[in-house]
Amino acid sequence: MTTVEFFGGIGVIGSSKIMISTPEARVLLDMGLDIPAEHDLFRAPVRERPGFELRDRLTVGFAPEIPGVYDPSQLDPGATLSRPDHRPTAVFLSHAHLDHDGALGFVRPDVPIYAHPDTALLEAAIAVSGTAGPGNQPELTPMTTPVTVGDITVEAVPVDHDVPGACGFLVTTREGTLAYTGDLNFHRDGGRLSQGFVERVRGVDMLVTETTMLSFDVPADASAWEPRSESAVLDLAAEAMTRAPGLALVSMYVRDVDRAARFIARAAAHGRTLVWPGQAAALLHNMGVEGVVTWDGSRPQTRCHTEAVARAETCSGGSIRTVGLEAVRDSPSSYLIQPDVSDVPSLLDLPLVGPCRLNGTFVPFIHAQGEPLGPFMANWSTYIEWLERLDVTFVGVGSSGHATGEALHKMVMDIHPGVVAPIHGFRPEALQVDVPRLVPEYGNLYTLDGKTLP
Ligand SMILES: [Zn+2]
């Protein structure tokens, strides 16, 4: 019998981990870090202990007890969880975001991890930039055709999200089919990929869907998360750059490589050079993005940045262009700067204070889904206080990577599965549709038609 078990993603945004098992094989969809709904015990200033990340997380309940998946060398000797499962097991990664890939470093080396080729490339660049999750460096196998694990077949079906290579999955066993959305939306670049996903999985037995945007009555900062097209995002950013007589700041998520490349080009069209912290520059350079610029030695950056730049130059050849503080202070209107949000006082290096900045000059912080992500993040209020102190104006121009509630409801009705399982949201029960619904619970085993096994 085919069973479905949820090891994450219930009542939280992220942490999705869905195990589909038959007597002959097991398939685990996504392996994100657990993101608690309330308080994350591992948030700053707590630092994980190198080599103890998995053990510590399991002990305080911040990693699920998934049998036969964890790397024994990261567990206590003789731990029950370190025993392998007798069935072939494989992990499939929907996209390269921490809430989906962050725990891949805990996976047993003999369990293969499959992903879309673009996701595999991005994960390699993430490794070079030194921004991967804890544990081992996972090795990903790019999948271009469906993969068979025992009697289970898994097909990657591309979707629109906000990161290269994003996919949903169609899982087929002898008993039926399960589709998983990963994270998706229907407004980026016309939502053509997501629409293709809908067509491909129409009529599946079970649909497991993300429900991020059903979590909020009104998004935390609506202006930063509206469902905009990428060209609308760029136009708003350009407007802010035009209004700024001097320096402009930007914050975007560097793993959204396409948006980063478009911002570099748009800034250049406005006579501005976009300057990235070293780790971001390393990731983009490794992904082959043109026109990547970072700081030279005149601006002190933490070692993780300088080391990442050196690694990126070694790995992919070529050198990353640099600029110095002097050049930025001499001509602030020629630059768009992405600050290192983890190094808040480094804002004071920039011509935001002192004679380089005329009093009352408009300096925008163009927020396009970068750090700090929103009021739900621990680092948000401090950062906003710094911006206020420096008289920098927050300008929200982003666009959510997630489908609106309306688009989600339409998607479910269009797919019309036998049963829908909402996960990856604070309020899964807000998905109100005219098909049978299963709001899953931890510790339960479900059949493909949504029944709970005794
Ligand atoms: Zn997610």
Side-chain angles (χ1 to χ4, degrees):
M1 181 184 277
T2 304
T3 61
V4 184
E5 187 169 7
F6 296 83
F7 286 100
I10 297 179
V12 288
I13 295 179
S15 323
S16 311
K17 298 176 198 71
I18 307 136
M19 180 79 88
I20 298 107
S21 312
T22 72
E24 287 173 44
R26 302 192 307 162
V27 156
L28 178 62
L29 306 179
D30 280 340
M31 190 61 178
L33 276 185
D34 280 46
I35 299 175
E38 308 259 303
H39 293 298
D40 180 359
L41 285 176
F42 291 94
R43 71 186 182 280
V46 175
R47 282 192 195 180
E48 298 191 72
R49 300 187 291 171
F52 285 82
E53 296 94 338
L54 177 57
R55 265 172 273 221
D56 290 348
R57 281 177 173 273
L58 281 167
T59 306
V60 295
F62 275 42
E65 304 205 349
I66 317 178
V69 166
Y70 289 125
D71 175 9
S73 75
Q74 298 185 59
L75 295 166
D76 289 327
T80 320
L81 279 179
S82 62
R83 285 192 213 126
D85 192 278
H86 67 280
R87 295 163 288 183
T89 301
V91 174
F92 291 81
L93 171 63
S94 67
H95 63 285
H97 278 170
L98 274 180
D99 60 323
H100 298 261
D101 70 3
L104 287 179
F106 300 150
V107 173
R108 300 176 65 92
D110 57 345
V111 167
I113 303 167
Y114 295 96
H116 186 282
D118 290 347
T119 299
L121 274 180
L122 179 55
E123 288 290 349
I126 289 168
V128 169
S129 73
T131 55
N136 300 331
Q137 176 53 51
E139 269 197 38
L140 272 69
T141 307
M143 62 186 291
T144 48
T145 53
V147 171
T148 300
V149 185
D151 59 352
I152 308 178
T153 305
V154 182
E155 177 184 338
V157 187
V159 295
D160 296 285
H161 186 29
D162 53 11
V163 63
C167 281
F169 291 111
L170 175 60
V171 181
T172 307
T173 74
R174 287 194 185 113
E175 270 181 286
T177 49
L178 176 148
Y180 165 52
T181 59
D183 290 353
L184 84 179
N185 68 67
F186 290 83
H187 51 259
R188 178 138 171 168
D189 296 331
R192 281 180 298 275
L193 295 176
S194 297
Q195 206 48 52
F197 172 82
V198 170
E199 306 304 330
R200 181 70 191 99
V201 308
R202 201 185 292 276
V204 283
D205 293 310
M206 180 184 280
L207 171 68
V208 180
T209 181
E210 67 123 319
T211 53
T212 310
M213 292 305 268
L214 295 176
S215 303
F216 315 103
D217 289 324
V218 179
D221 181 331
S223 67
W225 295 86
E226 271 178 39
R228 298 186 176 98
S229 69
E230 284 304 285
S231 61
V233 169
L234 281 168
D235 287 347
L236 285 171
E239 200 179 287
M241 282 191 266
T242 308
R243 274 175 61 208
L247 196 66
L249 306 179
V250 67
S251 178
M252 76 186 92
Y253 194 39
V254 70
R255 293 188 186 184
D256 190 345
V257 178
D258 295 332
R259 181 180 287 176
R262 293 185 221 197
F263 262 76
I264 291 172
R266 195 62 176 263
H270 280 253
R272 291 181 188 265
T273 300
L274 205 172
V275 189
W276 302 90
Q279 286 186 306
L283 189 152
L284 295 172
H285 179 71
N286 231 254
M287 288 297 287
V289 174
E290 300 280 332
V292 179
V293 177
T294 187
W295 297 101
D296 69 15
S298 64
R299 186 177 192 205
Q301 292 195 89
T302 49
R303 240 178 55 199
C304 55
H305 290 296
T306 46
E307 288 173 359
V309 168
R311 273 197 306 273
E313 290 179 338
T314 311
C315 287
S316 50
S319 53
I320 300 176
R321 235 183 82 206
T322 57
V323 299
L325 273 177
E326 201 60 29
V328 175
R329 286 175 185 151
D330 283 349
S331 178
S333 63
S334 304
Y335 294 93
L336 174 65
I337 309 287
Q338 167 125 340
D340 174 4
V341 172
S342 65
D343 184 8
V344 187
S346 69
L347 281 169
L348 302 177
D349 295 343
L350 302 172
L352 296 170
V353 282
C356 306
R357 169 152 176 199
L358 298 172
N359 269 343
T361 308
F362 169 68
V363 176
F365 180 72
I366 302 169
H367 189 263
Q369 267 97 41
E371 289 278 341
L373 289 174
F376 49 91
M377 297 292 287
N379 59 352
W380 174 264
S381 55
T382 320
Y383 206 77
I384 296 300
E385 282 170 36
W386 274 79
L387 294 182
E388 280 168 5
R389 181 74 184 180
L390 297 172
D391 196 18
V392 172
T393 309
F394 183 94
V395 182
V397 309
S399 170
S400 175
H402 300 277
T404 60
E406 199 183 334
L408 277 177
H409 282 100
K410 181 176 185 317
M411 174 193 76
V412 177
M413 291 318 292
D414 285 350
I415 293 175
H416 214 88
V419 59
V420 62
I423 61 163
H424 195 291
F426 298 145
R427 296 196 310 206
E429 67 287 347
L431 185 78
Q432 301 278 354
V433 279
D434 211 5
V435 296
R437 191 186 69 180
L438 162 73
V439 178
E441 289 176 27
Y442 289 127
N444 282 353
L445 274 181
Y446 300 100
T447 57
L448 277 178
D449 54 4
K451 303 230 161 48
T452 311
L453 285 172

